[in-house]
Amino acid sequence: MTRIPPKDWYRLRKLEDGLTWIDEPHIQEFYRCNIWHVRGRDRDMMVDSGMGVVSLRQWVPLVSERPLDAVASHTHFDHVGCHHEFPDRLCHRCEADILAAPTRASTLADPYVTDDIFDALPDVPYQSATYAVKAAPATRILEDGDVIDLGDRRFEVIHTPGHSPGGIALWEAATGILISGDIVYDGPLIEDTYHAEAQAYIRSMQRLAALPVRVVHGGHFPSFSGERLREIITGWLRGKGL
C-alpha cells in the first residue's frame, strides 16, 4: 500500500463561524474522525485529535499557534490519538480513566485498527499491528452543564452517553452550533460497542432534538443543518418504536 509523507497526511478546510475542519483523508470515511478547531478571542478549542498516526502539532501549525483546549468528545482511538501532544486536555469524568490509561480494547483499536481502514498508510515506521493510543491524562474533568469559555465564545458541555459512557456534545447557543461527537452524525451510527448503552442513547438523542440547532459538526462525515438533525433523530427514534 502507498505510504503518505507527514506533510500530506492532514487536510484543512476553513468554514464559517471561525471553524476549521481538519481530517485525515487517507483513512476510509467511516473511520475518519473530524477534528474541529474553533478560534476564540482569548484561546482556541479543538474537539478531538484523530488517530495519532502522524503528529498533529508538528504538521498542522494552526493547532499550536495559540493557547488551546483539546477536548475529547469521547475516547475511541480515532478521536484521541494526538491528545497527548497538548498540555490542556479536557474529557468527561466517565471516560477520564481511559484517556489516562488507554488500551487497545478500551479505545476500540481492537478490532478496528488494521491496514484495511486506510486507503494509504502513514509513512514508516507506522504499523497497524503495534498501533496504540498514548496516555493523555485529563487536566480538566468535564461534567454536564460545564462551560468551555474562549473569551468571546462559550460552549456548554452536554453529556451524551449511549455511544460511549463519557460522550459529550458542545453547544454554542449564541450561534446555534452543535459539535456532536459520535452520538449523532449524518451516516451509519454505531450503537453496539462494548460500552454502548441503548436507553442512554435514546435519552441523549431526545435531548439533542429539543435544542434549536442551526448547524451540526459531527464526529464523522460532513456537517449538516439543524433541520437534518431533527430528521435523523426522528427517523432513528421511530426505528426504536418511539
Side-chain angles (χ1 to χ4, degrees):
M1 192 181 292
T2 302
R3 295 274 183 170
I4 303 298
K7 67 182 181 64
D8 297 328
W9 186 255
Y10 291 102
R11 171 173 57 182
L12 280 69
R13 287 167 282 187
K14 289 192 177 297
L15 308 180
E16 61 180 7
D17 301 314
L19 268 72
T20 300
W21 178 12
I22 307 169
D23 68 357
E24 302 169 272
H26 304 289
I27 299 173
Q28 293 181 4
E29 187 175 30
F30 181 79
Y31 302 97
R32 185 191 311 152
C33 166
N34 294 328
I35 303 166
W36 300 109
H37 181 276
V38 182
R39 178 54 52 92
R41 184 192 66 207
D42 299 339
R43 61 190 297 112
D44 295 347
M45 178 177 71
M46 181 184 71
V47 183
D48 295 333
S49 62
M51 271 193 72
V53 294
V54 171
S55 171
L56 193 58
R57 282 182 67 93
Q58 182 176 355
W59 296 102
V60 181
L62 174 67
V63 303
S64 59
E65 291 172 347
R66 306 171 76 239
L68 177 144
D69 288 328
V71 182
S73 71
H74 62 300
T75 57
H76 290 162
F77 73 92
D78 47 330
H79 293 262
V80 294
C82 282
H83 261 61
H84 66 280
E85 298 185 334
F86 297 89
D88 298 309
R89 302 177 295 272
L90 290 67
C91 179
H92 190 271
R93 170 181 52 81
C94 291
E95 292 185 36
D97 58 337
I98 297 176
L99 195 61
T103 66
R104 281 181 62 96
S106 66
T107 61
L108 295 190
D110 282 338
Y112 291 109
V113 178
T114 69
D115 287 359
D116 292 339
I117 72 172
F118 296 92
D119 291 324
L121 291 171
D123 207 352
V124 292
Y126 173 79
Q127 294 183 12
S128 293
T130 58
Y131 169 85
V133 174
K134 294 182 179 179
T139 59
R140 178 182 173 188
I141 301 295
L142 298 174
E143 299 280 2
D144 187 66
D146 284 352
V147 171
I148 298 173
D149 190 343
L150 306 182
D152 57 342
R153 310 187 68 166
R154 291 167 58 87
F155 287 83
E156 179 186 351
V157 174
I158 300 177
H159 184 205
T160 54
H163 175 75
S164 69
I168 60 170
L170 297 169
W171 166 237
E172 188 178 41
T175 59
I177 291 173
L178 181 71
I179 302 177
S180 64
D182 275 9
I183 194 70
V184 62
Y185 45 75
D186 199 354
L189 299 178
I190 304 301
E191 307 168 46
D192 59 355
T193 69
Y194 78 96
H195 53 192
E197 207 280 297
Q199 290 304 309
Y201 211 128
I202 290 169
R203 291 190 296 271
S204 293
M205 291 288 250
Q206 290 171 329
R207 186 176 181 188
L208 295 182
L211 294 174
V213 174
R214 177 178 61 88
V215 61
V216 182
H217 303 298
H220 298 269
F221 302 101
S223 302
F224 53 98
S225 68
E227 180 181 4
R228 176 62 180 151
L229 172 69
R230 289 177 278 278
E231 289 176 357
I232 291 170
I233 293 177
T234 298
W236 186 88
L237 290 171
R238 188 179 298 118
K240 307 295 181 188
L242 300 171

